Amino acid sequence: MIGYVFVALAVIVAVAGWRLRSRLRRQTRSGVTDEIVRRIETVGRVDAEDVEPVDLELARAEEDEFWAQTWDEPEENW
């Protein structure tokens, strides 16, 4: 019985680590860096050739992933 608890905890930790890693990976893919922010603050703009273009396929895949999630229906309290 105790073995099942440890296995369940290990699975929970593994899933949480995987989700955290994927979230951090998505954040680091952002094209906005501290240098770009400083340039926007000082100059007021960023030249287009300095900024990486938006990956539309990645954006579409992340949007599809978002809409594929299931959401719990609200409970009706009458």
Side-chain angles (χ1 to χ4, degrees):
M1 180 69 179
I2 293 178
Y4 291 122
V5 172
F6 286 122
V7 169
L9 286 175
V11 169
I12 290 171
V13 168
V15 169
W18 176 75
R19 288 185 55 128
L20 177 64
R21 183 175 180 222
S22 66
R23 185 173 18 163
L24 290 175
R25 191 178 318 132
R26 267 186 259 141
Q27 289 176 351
T28 57
R29 281 188 260 172
S30 173
V32 179
T33 63
D34 290 339
E35 179 187 343
I36 292 175
V37 172
R38 282 189 213 98
R39 189 177 309 159
I40 292 171
E41 291 174 344
T42 57
V43 178
R45 64 183 173 83
V46 176
D47 295 328
E49 60 267 358
D50 292 346
V51 180
E52 293 181 26
V54 175
D55 185 359
L56 295 178
E57 291 299 319
L58 176 64
R60 184 172 290 116
E62 289 185 10
E63 181 181 4
D64 291 342
E65 179 183 335
F66 172 80
W67 289 112
Q69 294 178 4
T70 58
W71 304 95
D72 294 335
E73 295 293 325
E75 295 179 14
E76 294 183 20
N77 295 327
W78 291 81

